[in-house]
Amino acid sequence: NAGVMQNPRHLVRRRGQEARLRCSPMKGHSHVYWYRQLPEEGLKFMVYLQKENIIDESGMPKERFSAEFPKEGPSILRIQQVVRGDSAAYFCASSPKSGMNTEAFFGQGTRLTVV
Amino acid sequence: LAKTTQPISMDSYEGQEVNITCSHNNIATNDYITWYQQFPSQGPRFIIQGYKTKVTNEVASLFIPADRKSSTLSLPRVSLSDTAVYYCLVGLYNQGGKLIFGQGTELSVKP
């Protein structure tokens, strides 16, 4: 059973371009979470999705950021008109259910660099 | 939300036992305590989880006193490869399904 797969591992975008980050959860997992980690900082929750639904997006910036988890295919985190401050590592995690004793599995992350 | 407090950093030497304590004074009755490990340039990895008393697995032990206001992650005989950031989380999935990470403890193991 493959782990959480994120691609690309590294992404370079010029200011103003769009960044699209993909996350394939572990097989059988229907819950996906996105986190952002700035250099030398902790992980900040961004959004929690279940298949075709956004459950909690309280950590998402109000503009330029969006996320989806379609019925088929990977979860996508989209950043429009990127700025230098968007440079960070973006991690995706998945779990089979939402519950008190559920372990979340993280991917290797996508490192976004905005030049 | 149950807030956690951990030391920002710790130093140790190979072969020693390392204990990292996390304070969570306002832990709720239904909250679990979970620890994650993160190596540089990698995603966090689950280490151990517990509710009360003591939990042990092949990697670590977790000690939780009766009042559950703190917990201690114990790493036996650390090696250089245990150098990482260790996060204590409380209330796994009782906040609408999301994990809330604190600052973490940066453990440095020296030869």
Side-chain angles (χ1 to χ4, degrees):
Chain A
N1 187 7
V4 177
M5 304 301 292
Q6 291 188 247
N7 67 81
R9 290 294 308 276
H10 301 275
L11 182 61
V12 179
R13 284 289 178 264
R14 295 186 183 277
R15 282 179 294 171
Q17 290 185 320
E18 177 180 283
R20 190 171 295 201
L21 289 62
R22 294 174 181 78
C23 170
S24 296
M26 290 182 68
K27 185 177 181 180
H29 288 194
S30 59
H31 300 252
V32 166
Y33 313 82
W34 285 92
Y35 290 80
R36 177 165 64 176
Q37 187 169 37
L38 295 169
E40 308 300 325
E41 293 188 14
L43 293 104
K44 302 298 183 186
F45 168 78
M46 298 182 75
V47 62
Y48 162 40
L49 311 101
Q50 293 181 29
K51 284 288 188 180
E52 301 184 273
N53 290 305
I54 297 175
I55 306 302
D56 184 339
E57 56 181 350
S58 58
M60 288 279 271
K62 298 300 182 191
E63 299 178 346
R64 303 188 296 108
F65 285 72
S66 63
E68 63 178 12
F69 187 18
K71 185 177 180 181
E72 301 291 337
S75 175
I76 306 288
L77 179 66
R78 184 181 293 110
I79 311 172
Q80 297 178 304
Q81 300 177 326
V82 296
V83 301
R84 289 237 172 95
D86 296 332
S87 295
Y90 292 83
F91 291 97
C92 166
S94 75
S95 66
K97 61 180 179 178
S98 177
M100 288 305 301
N101 58 347
T102 303
E103 177 182 343
F105 296 83
F106 282 79
Q108 293 295 306
T110 293
R111 275 145 195 85
L112 172 65
T113 301
V114 179
V115 297
Chain B
L1 300 179
K3 181 180 176 178
T4 60
T5 303
Q6 311 173 228
I8 293 176
S9 64
M10 293 182 68
D11 292 329
S12 182
Y13 292 93
E14 283 191 290
Q16 289 186 332
E17 177 184 80
V18 171
N19 296 308
I20 306 175
T21 297
C22 178
S23 297
H24 27 80
N25 291 319
N26 58 342
I27 188 170
T29 302
N30 294 331
D31 287 345
Y32 279 68
I33 300 157
T34 310
W35 286 79
Y36 277 78
Q37 174 192 57
Q38 186 181 26
F39 296 114
S41 302
Q42 293 189 27
R45 183 175 72 104
F46 174 92
I47 300 176
I48 197 167
Q49 183 181 74
Y51 182 80
K52 62 180 179 180
T53 61
K54 177 184 175 182
V55 180
T56 298
N57 61 22
E58 65 278 5
V59 177
S61 294
L62 179 60
F63 298 92
I64 307 169
D67 65 5
R68 303 201 327 121
K69 293 184 182 300
S70 66
S71 59
T72 299
L73 175 72
S74 180
L75 305 172
R77 298 182 61 79
V78 294
S79 63
L80 296 176
S81 63
D82 292 317
T83 294
V85 178
Y86 293 82
Y87 294 97
C88 165
L89 287 75
V90 172
L92 184 66
Y93 292 105
N94 79 336
Q95 296 127 2
K98 58 186 183 241
L99 295 170
I100 303 297
F101 286 82
Q103 196 168 13
T105 297
E106 186 172 1
L107 174 65
S108 177
V109 180
K110 299 180 168 77

